[in-house]
Amino acid sequence: MRNEFLIFAFLTLIGTALLGYFIDPAWYLLYVLFVPLNGLGFYDMYQDKHAIMRNYPILGRGRYVMEDLRPKLYQYFIESDT
């Protein structure tokens, strides 16, 4: 997934630059979305604490978000025997 992320980062930054240059300068506003997202992905690739986030740069964060939401979901939607 690291290689796929690198391709995604390259294509989004170059594609947005080309769209902004050839079509309409308003496309440069997509950099507001893509630059922080790519920065977060590169940070995930080079951190040392979590192997999942290192191997799956942006998608790996979803695991930890779901881990935090799990007790709340169990409390409201899944009835416990205790």
Side-chain angles (χ1 to χ4, degrees):
M1 284 300 286
R2 291 176 71 150
N3 293 334
E4 287 85 357
F5 171 72
L6 292 174
I7 292 169
F8 167 77
F10 178 75
L11 289 178
T12 55
L13 295 179
I14 297 301
T16 304
L18 291 175
L19 285 172
Y21 183 74
F22 288 116
I23 295 179
D24 185 18
W27 283 95
Y28 285 127
L29 292 175
L30 284 177
Y31 276 122
V32 173
L33 174 69
F34 289 137
V35 169
L37 191 65
N38 289 336
L40 183 65
F42 282 114
Y43 172 76
D44 286 346
M45 280 177 54
Y46 295 109
Q47 55 84 28
D48 292 333
K49 292 182 181 179
H50 304 284
I52 290 178
M53 288 186 351
R54 189 171 43 247
N55 292 329
Y56 302 99
I58 294 175
L59 298 175
R61 287 187 175 266
R63 176 180 188 255
Y64 296 106
V65 169
M66 291 299 157
E67 229 174 59
D68 288 340
L69 290 177
R70 183 179 178 189
K72 296 173 184 75
L73 292 174
Y74 268 77
Q75 178 182 359
Y76 290 113
F77 296 116
I78 300 173
E79 186 176 351
S80 176
D81 289 338
T82 58

